[in-house]
Amino acid sequence: MAANPEPAHSTSSAPFRLTPSETNPMCIYLVKNDSKGDKLLFRYPFHSFGGPVKVSLNDHKRSLHKDSGLEKTVRPHDLTIFTDDVISSLFAVKMELCDRKFELKVNNVRFVGHPMQLVTGGNDGGSESGNKKPQSPSIIMINIVFALDAFARRQISNCYYDLSKVLGVALRHEEKRCAYLSSQIKDMLYIHDAMAMGTNECDLDSSIDNKHFKSILENSSLAQDLKSVFEGVVTNGLIKLKVNNWVDVSFCLPHKVHHFYRDGQYFEPESINKCLKELRPYHGLLLMAERKVLLDNLPQDSSPSIVRLINMYNPVKSLETLSADSDLTLAQVFNIAGHLIYWGDAIVIFPLSETNMYAIAPNVPTERNNKFAKKFEKKFPGQKLLEVMSEFSFPTSLQYKMCPIEDKSSGSTTVQILIWLLQHKILLQYHTYIYFMPSSKGLGYYNDETEFHDYNNKLPSEAPMTTYQTLSENWLQLSSGGYSSSMSSAEEMFHSLEEDEQIALMHIPASANPDDFRLLMRLLKQGYLSGEHHLEEIMYLENIRRSELLKLLDKFKDVLVTVEMEDPIISNFYSH
């Protein structure tokens, strides 16, 4: 739990705005370096961008250190200036630089990867590598590199660095198991040599290079996997593949998985960690897909705990309830919830309840016959999305939308519509936050400004004697009746207030009730009345019923102000 929770209106974890070029890679490269030299084995996409541009390696090295003429003439994101020889020379790092982050910025392009050193050729590939004879062991360096926008945020480039590392680890495993990488490299080099034979060096233009890589893509499973990786990160940010039909590689780019309605707005990856730190047992989960679809998409080696939790899932259950029903510790439930949230399979909600209030989320499309309206009408025949949305123009409680005889379970039509709207982030839940404002700095007891000024300048001894005497009598009576610790704490809290705050409380008849007064002072001392904790959080932390809190708000309405706002943890998943 965070020691210092942020205010309810905090936007420190808010989404940020990006252009598509910042989030999508421009190209993926596979480079090797061994005793026979360096070589660009494969790249995708392999088509040229506006025609070839011949640039020497020396020109590129100079552009890394000073402003060269090349840098002024290069078009933004023009990858044609990087010939195959230049790419292989830049990415084929020395062995001592392996197994660490690789990052290189040239002009408007940032290259990110994780070079790895492997021992190849020492194992028999068997059927996995085509029954080829084992070779003597040798050391080789491979580097899977992504070309990104030079101005992409650090969180974005770190994601692609992690992806490069994950792919490298999978290839290292398969090389050790069955010499898979050695076989793939040999096949790629054979295609390069075969297509280059009989072709003059001066004729090696981009069309010849394209034929090289097209042929490699058709014949190499590793090249096909790299293509799948590139297309996955560009389309939806999800990568799920089996390297050599053996090693599962799963990866997620959170800024691509979590969608927003506002154009150019993406989820900041670091916000996931901030959100999970603020997760509480009273929060709940909302799956973004049907239970069966989610279970079918889980890897074969998924933990049974994940399957158990998904089977016990219900949007009306809190994480604490899920923990008990699934026979899992709360820590396990939090870890599984974090996994589902990171992969975009679930979002954080407050468990569905009749008392929950919902309103239309910001930036939701309201055009007639938009894609969401058609999707909604197909899911719920006879219902119109815009008509349903109009009912939530202002924060509205769910209990006012349900028929008295309607089933209150999650299977009712009204609840299913609500779940659909929450899954598509059309509705946003609002919570009640409480502010203690008894003085002239906030809410006044009197409407007339003159009376209010005189009232606030009175001394405590000038307050109504009935209330003042009743308070004193209650303190003495409760102190002698076994309530000394709780009442002395309330009295101590009361005397720590400013004079005008004490006067405001003395003018409220409910202050004469020892139970109400003690509860108010307790909430005030715990910091719950500063607008940073909503009703549901107070109910959970202090084990108080909602009806008890609502009665307290009504009795002390002259000094307690309520505001309807969204939970900052939940609002992270919505555009702003």
Side-chain angles (χ1 to χ4, degrees):
M1 285 186 162
N4 298 313
E6 296 180 358
H9 58 275
S10 172
T11 57
S12 62
S13 300
F16 58 86
R17 293 184 61 80
L18 290 173
T19 60
S21 63
E22 288 185 72
T23 60
N24 295 332
M26 293 171 277
C27 193
I28 184 173
Y29 303 92
L30 174 62
V31 173
K32 69 93 180 176
N33 186 23
D34 56 15
S35 58
K36 297 180 181 179
D38 54 74
K39 182 70 176 179
L40 172 63
L41 297 173
F42 182 71
R43 72 165 184 253
Y44 187 85
F46 39 76
H47 58 273
S48 60
F49 297 84
V53 179
K54 301 297 182 180
V55 179
S56 67
L57 177 60
N58 291 333
D59 289 335
H60 280 277
K61 289 182 177 179
R62 286 196 301 270
S63 69
L64 294 177
H65 303 285
K66 64 180 181 179
D67 184 17
S68 63
L70 169 69
E71 191 166 349
K72 296 179 180 178
T73 60
V74 168
R75 296 185 297 273
H77 305 154
D78 188 358
L79 298 181
T80 57
I81 64 172
F82 305 107
T83 64
D84 291 356
D85 291 338
V86 169
I87 289 294
S88 61
S89 299
L90 290 176
F91 299 167
V93 300
K94 297 180 180 180
M95 294 300 178
E96 53 266 26
L97 297 179
C98 291
D99 294 313
R100 63 181 65 182
K101 186 175 182 179
F102 170 85
E103 186 170 336
L104 176 66
K105 180 182 176 183
V106 182
N107 299 323
N108 295 319
V109 182
R110 185 186 303 276
F111 299 100
V112 178
H114 183 84
M116 302 192 76
Q117 179 178 326
L118 299 86
V119 178
T120 65
N123 297 327
D124 184 3
S127 60
E128 297 287 1
S129 58
N131 293 320
K132 298 179 181 179
K133 296 181 180 180
Q135 303 174 356
S136 58
S138 60
I139 298 178
I140 186 173
M141 186 282 306
I142 63 165
N143 197 2
I144 299 175
V145 181
F146 292 92
L148 307 174
D149 188 303
F151 301 101
R153 295 177 183 249
R154 179 61 57 185
Q155 299 95 328
I156 304 297
S157 62
N158 286 342
C159 288
Y160 287 102
Y161 160 72
D162 292 336
L163 176 55
S164 174
K165 183 177 181 180
V166 168
L167 294 172
V169 170
L171 291 177
R172 173 184 282 172
H173 177 276
E174 283 304 277
E175 178 61 29
K176 185 177 181 180
R177 186 180 70 88
C178 62
Y180 170 72
L181 182 61
S182 299
S183 173
Q184 292 294 306
I185 291 177
K186 185 175 181 180
D187 293 344
M188 291 180 182
L189 290 175
Y190 175 80
I191 295 175
H192 277 289
D193 295 341
M195 298 196 69
M197 287 184 62
T199 306
N200 225 334
E201 187 173 347
C202 61
D203 295 330
L204 287 176
D205 58 10
S206 61
S207 63
I208 298 296
D209 291 338
N210 290 347
K211 291 180 181 179
H212 288 189
F213 298 125
K214 287 180 181 178
S215 180
I216 290 174
L217 182 60
E218 294 172 358
N219 295 278
S220 170
S221 61
L222 177 56
Q224 293 166 8
D225 286 342
L226 293 178
K227 179 190 176 202
S228 298
V229 168
F230 180 86
E231 292 177 343
V233 297
V234 169
T235 53
N236 57 14
L238 293 175
I239 296 117
K240 294 182 179 180
L241 56 89
K242 271 184 176 290
V243 176
N244 194 28
N245 293 321
W246 189 267
V247 179
D248 282 311
V249 173
S250 300
F251 199 84
C252 167
L253 299 176
H255 57 277
K256 296 293 293 290
V257 170
H258 295 274
H259 303 287
F260 296 106
Y261 289 115
R262 189 173 180 180
D263 294 336
Q265 193 169 28
Y266 293 87
F267 199 86
E268 185 177 359
E270 184 61 26
S271 295
I272 292 285
N273 297 329
K274 295 179 181 179
C275 176
L276 296 180
K277 288 180 181 178
E278 298 292 337
L279 204 59
R280 299 291 184 266
Y282 57 78
H283 282 126
L285 287 178
L286 178 68
L287 297 184
M288 302 302 284
E290 296 293 336
R291 191 197 315 267
K292 185 178 183 304
V293 174
L294 187 56
L295 290 173
D296 291 342
N297 289 334
L298 289 177
Q300 295 180 353
D301 59 347
S302 296
S303 169
S305 300
I306 299 179
V307 178
R308 197 186 318 163
L309 184 139
I310 294 176
N311 283 325
M312 297 304 300
Y313 155 82
N314 194 305
V316 302
K317 295 181 180 180
S318 65
L319 296 179
E320 189 175 44
T321 304
L322 275 177
S323 172
D325 293 348
S326 305
D327 195 21
L328 300 171
T329 65
L330 195 57
Q332 287 178 298
V333 172
F334 270 52
N335 288 334
I336 297 173
H339 173 84
L340 295 174
I341 294 169
Y342 187 89
W343 279 81
D345 292 325
I347 59 173
V348 180
I349 63 168
F350 187 82
L352 299 187
S353 170
E354 295 181 9
T355 57
N356 290 359
M357 290 187 298
Y358 300 95
I360 299 177
N363 303 308
V364 173
T366 56
E367 300 84 1
R368 288 182 177 273
N369 298 321
N370 61 65
K371 63 178 183 179
F372 297 102
K374 296 178 180 178
K375 189 176 179 180
F376 179 83
E377 293 171 11
K378 184 177 180 181
K379 176 75 173 180
F380 303 101
Q383 299 282 351
K384 298 294 184 181
L385 178 59
L386 294 184
E387 292 180 4
V388 175
M389 290 171 57
S390 66
E391 299 175 359
F392 294 93
S393 298
F394 297 96
T396 304
S397 177
L398 180 59
Q399 60 186 347
Y400 296 114
K401 298 299 178 185
M402 300 189 69
C403 176
I405 62 174
E406 186 177 1
D407 181 17
K408 300 294 193 298
S409 67
S410 59
S412 68
T413 303
T414 302
V415 175
Q416 286 300 311
I417 291 177
L418 177 65
I419 291 175
W420 191 94
L421 295 174
L422 290 174
Q423 286 176 332
H424 292 78
K425 301 176 184 176
I426 294 177
L427 291 186
L428 175 62
Q429 183 176 356
Y430 283 77
H431 297 266
T432 300
Y433 292 82
I434 310 173
Y435 288 87
F436 179 65
M437 302 178 67
S439 66
S440 58
K441 302 173 184 176
L443 183 67
Y445 183 79
Y446 291 101
N447 292 327
D448 184 81
E449 293 183 1
T450 305
E451 287 188 41
F452 177 69
H453 177 75
D454 295 338
Y455 158 78
N456 262 318
N457 284 287
K458 291 181 179 179
L459 297 174
S461 58
E462 299 178 83
M465 286 302 297
T466 304
T467 304
Y468 188 77
Q469 290 176 352
T470 304
L471 280 174
S472 302
E473 292 172 0
N474 286 335
W475 290 338
L476 292 174
Q477 179 182 357
L478 290 172
S479 297
S480 60
Y483 296 93
S484 57
S485 59
S486 60
M487 206 60 201
S488 62
S489 177
E491 184 179 359
E492 179 183 349
M493 184 64 209
F494 176 78
H495 287 300
S496 68
L497 301 175
E498 300 290 339
E499 287 187 2
D500 53 352
E501 295 175 340
Q502 294 181 20
I503 296 173
L505 285 174
M506 290 178 185
H507 278 79
I508 298 177
S511 297
N513 186 310
D515 292 331
D516 293 337
F517 183 78
R518 186 171 62 250
L519 177 58
L520 178 66
M521 292 297 103
R522 185 175 113 202
L523 298 180
L524 192 59
K525 185 176 181 179
Q526 294 294 335
Y528 295 135
L529 307 183
S530 59
E532 295 182 350
H533 305 270
H534 52 70
L535 288 185
E536 289 75 15
E537 183 176 11
I538 299 173
M539 290 163 54
Y540 175 82
L541 294 177
E542 295 297 320
N543 194 23
I544 303 175
R545 293 191 300 272
R546 177 182 293 272
S547 58
E548 190 176 354
L549 268 181
L550 294 179
K551 288 179 182 178
L552 187 74
L553 289 175
D554 183 62
K555 292 178 180 179
F556 290 92
K557 60 185 178 182
D558 295 320
V559 294
L560 296 179
V561 178
T562 59
V563 179
E564 308 298 337
M565 294 187 294
E566 66 273 17
D567 188 330
I569 305 305
I570 298 176
S571 65
N572 280 329
F573 299 95
Y574 291 80
S575 58
H576 296 280

